[in-house]
Amino acid sequence: MTTTPTAPVPTPAPTVQRSWSGWRTLLVVVGAFFALSGVTLLALGGVGLWAQQQRDSDGYFTAGPERVSTSTYALTAPALDIGGAGPDAFYTDDFLGKIRIGIESTTSGTPVFVGIGPAADVAAYLEGVGHDEVADFAVDPFRLTTTARAGDKPATLPADQSFWVASGTESLNWTARSGDWSVVIMNADGSPKVDARLSVGGTLPAVEGVTIGALIGAVLLLLIGSAVVVSTTRG
């Protein structure tokens, strides 16, 4: 009787597994960092998109109106440094864009004047005039901290001055530019006891750029981080 030999069953080759080295751990950590940074930028972009919806019909972000008052002849914000170095660079003209200030007297009769002018010229005009200078302010709740400057009434009316870059008795519009500026609020007839409601708005063009940049960066970082983590763990 002839026996047919049985073919030997091939033994599968041993699976070579890649050891989990320190480099792989490092790559996972780096990938996770990129992905987490992408999530952070995505949240920032989401806030930016929400902020874009807060503009009014004219494209301004607006705060107020809030009540401002002084028993003196003027209320001033004496140091608006635009385009400076260091921390002041945050308030560049590219960031602020167009500025709108609305002013409305809370008492009948005398209208309230608001003007923006070079700080040196404003200081010279108010030299010897009783006024309050804004030293600090809080937003919620709104509150001004002022420093009183003793003096008499102004020799001339605010609207008669030629140094204003923007002024008005109901509102003013100004495209921000580099310089050292002051904002002044007075009764138009130069009388004391200013009492008004003030609103401030700005187009803030940088908000749109920051939002787009954050969303693009978020997508890139999420793609890079996910690719690094997946390729490393699957290997």
Side-chain angles (χ1 to χ4, degrees), residues 72-74 110-113 125 129-130 152-159 186-194:
T72 65
Y73 294 92
T110 304
V112 178
F113 171 91
Y125 172 61
V129 175
D152 298 321
K153 65 179 182 180
T156 55
L157 298 180
M186 303 176 64
N187 287 329
D189 62 0
S191 61
K193 297 182 180 179
V194 182

Side-chain angles (χ1 to χ4, degrees), residues 135-151:
D136 196 6
F137 70 94
V139 176
D140 189 17
F142 180 80
R143 183 178 68 255
L144 293 178
T145 301
T146 60
T147 301
R149 304 297 183 189

Side-chain angles (χ1 to χ4, degrees), residues 30-120:
V30 170
F33 173 77
F34 275 107
L36 181 60
S37 299
V39 172
T40 303
L41 284 180
L42 187 62
L44 179 61
V47 172
L49 289 175
W50 171 84
Q52 293 292 326
Q53 306 305 313
Q54 308 311 306
R55 297 178 187 266
D56 62 18
S57 58
D58 295 323
Y60 285 83
F61 296 99
T62 304
E66 300 289 350
R67 185 178 180 181
V68 294
S69 63
T70 176
S71 60
T72 65
Y73 294 92
L75 179 66
T76 71
L80 180 62
D81 186 7
I82 298 178
D88 287 335
F90 182 76
Y91 300 100
T92 61
D93 46 356
D94 290 336
F95 179 84
L96 292 172
K98 296 180 180 179
I99 294 175
R100 181 181 64 194
I101 299 178
I103 193 77
E104 179 185 0
S105 176
T106 59
T107 59
S108 60
T110 304
V112 178
F113 171 91
V114 58
I116 298 176

Side-chain angles (χ1 to χ4, degrees), residues 158-182:
D160 293 340
Q161 311 311 307
S162 60
F163 54 74
W164 305 114
V165 295
S167 63
T169 53
E170 293 184 356
S171 65
L172 67 77
N173 291 275
W174 178 55
T175 300
R177 62 177 188 264
S178 298
D180 192 7
W181 309 99
S182 290

Side-chain angles (χ1 to χ4, degrees), residues 27-28 30-32 34 223-233:
L27 285 174
V28 171
V30 170
F34 275 107
L223 289 175
I224 293 173
S226 300
V228 171
V229 172
V230 170
S231 63
T232 302
T233 55

